[in-house]
Amino acid sequence: MDADQQRELERVIEEDDPEELLALLIELALSCEDRGFAQACCLRLARHGNVDVRGNAVLAVGHLARRFGELDRAQVEPAIRAA
């Protein structure tokens, strides 16, 4: 994910359109090569007010774990429990 894509992602998060966020999370988890950035976005959205966005954020974390073989458990576990 290049800088332009990261800015676009931040724009979508700031606009807070749940429908856009649902797709964005899965795309991010399946295509972003920066695990730290993707994980941070997923954890941020795991606390979203919309239950479907929270659900996709948790699903996306699962995809990241599968793709990268690791995550920051100390950060991920509490966010997943809270979601």
Side-chain angles (χ1 to χ4, degrees):
M1 179 169 276
D2 64 26
D4 288 336
Q5 291 170 315
Q6 286 184 1
R7 280 191 294 277
E8 176 65 12
L9 184 126
E10 288 295 333
R11 181 197 62 78
V12 171
I13 291 172
E14 290 303 315
E15 287 182 2
D16 199 33
D17 177 357
E19 291 301 315
E20 241 185 320
L21 290 171
L22 292 173
L24 171 107
L25 281 160
I26 302 306
E27 179 182 343
L28 175 71
L30 296 177
S31 66
C32 184
E33 293 303 321
D34 183 343
R35 182 187 59 82
F37 176 78
Q39 179 180 299
C41 288
C42 291
L43 295 181
R44 179 175 170 188
L45 292 170
R47 293 174 176 83
H48 194 273
N50 181 289
V51 67
D52 294 328
V53 172
R54 289 194 309 272
N56 270 23
V58 171
L59 176 62
V61 167
H63 285 304
L64 291 173
R66 177 185 53 80
R67 285 184 60 221
F68 292 100
E70 66 177 340
L71 293 175
D72 184 341
R73 188 176 184 144
Q75 291 181 4
V76 171
E77 196 170 304
I80 290 174
R81 290 182 191 279

